[in-house]
Amino acid sequence: MTKELSGKPVASLINKATSELIKTHTLIPRMLLILVGDDPASRYYVQSIVANGKKLGCETTLLNLPGSTTEQELQRCIQ
C-alpha cells in the first residue's frame, strides 16, 4: 500500500502560525537571502521564498552574487 505525502498542509499550518505570531507581537521579521550564481531552479526557489515572506509580512532582501564569488567573499557578506 502506498501513501502520498504532501507538504502543502504542513506549510499552510506553519504560514498561519507565523502570520499570527507576527500580528500578535507586532513584529516585522527581516529575511536576507543570498543567491550565488544564476541557476534557474535556484532562482525560482529563492523567488518563491521571497514572495511567501512578503505575504507573511516579512521584509525580504535578495542579494545576488555572481557564480565566481569565492567562499571568502561569501563569508564576508554573511558577516
Side-chain angles (χ1 to χ4, degrees):
M1 176 194 324
T2 61
K3 184 175 182 180
E4 185 175 318
L5 299 176
S6 174
K8 286 186 179 185
V10 175
S12 180
L13 288 172
I14 292 170
N15 286 344
K16 184 179 178 182
T18 302
S19 182
E20 288 174 8
L21 279 171
I22 290 169
K23 289 176 186 172
T24 301
H25 298 288
T26 59
L27 301 171
I28 303 176
R30 290 176 180 84
M31 177 171 47
L32 171 66
L33 295 109
I34 302 173
L35 180 62
V36 179
D38 198 28
D39 177 61
S42 295
R43 182 165 300 285
Y44 177 81
Y45 179 69
V46 168
Q47 290 294 348
S48 69
I49 293 171
V50 169
N52 192 48
K54 287 181 180 179
K55 285 180 192 175
L56 292 172
C58 298
E59 288 184 12
T60 60
T61 303
L62 174 57
L63 178 59
N64 290 291
L65 299 176
S68 60
T69 302
T70 66
E71 184 177 340
Q72 291 172 335
E73 291 168 331
L74 179 58
Q75 287 177 351
R76 277 195 294 272
C77 287
I78 293 169
Q79 292 174 354

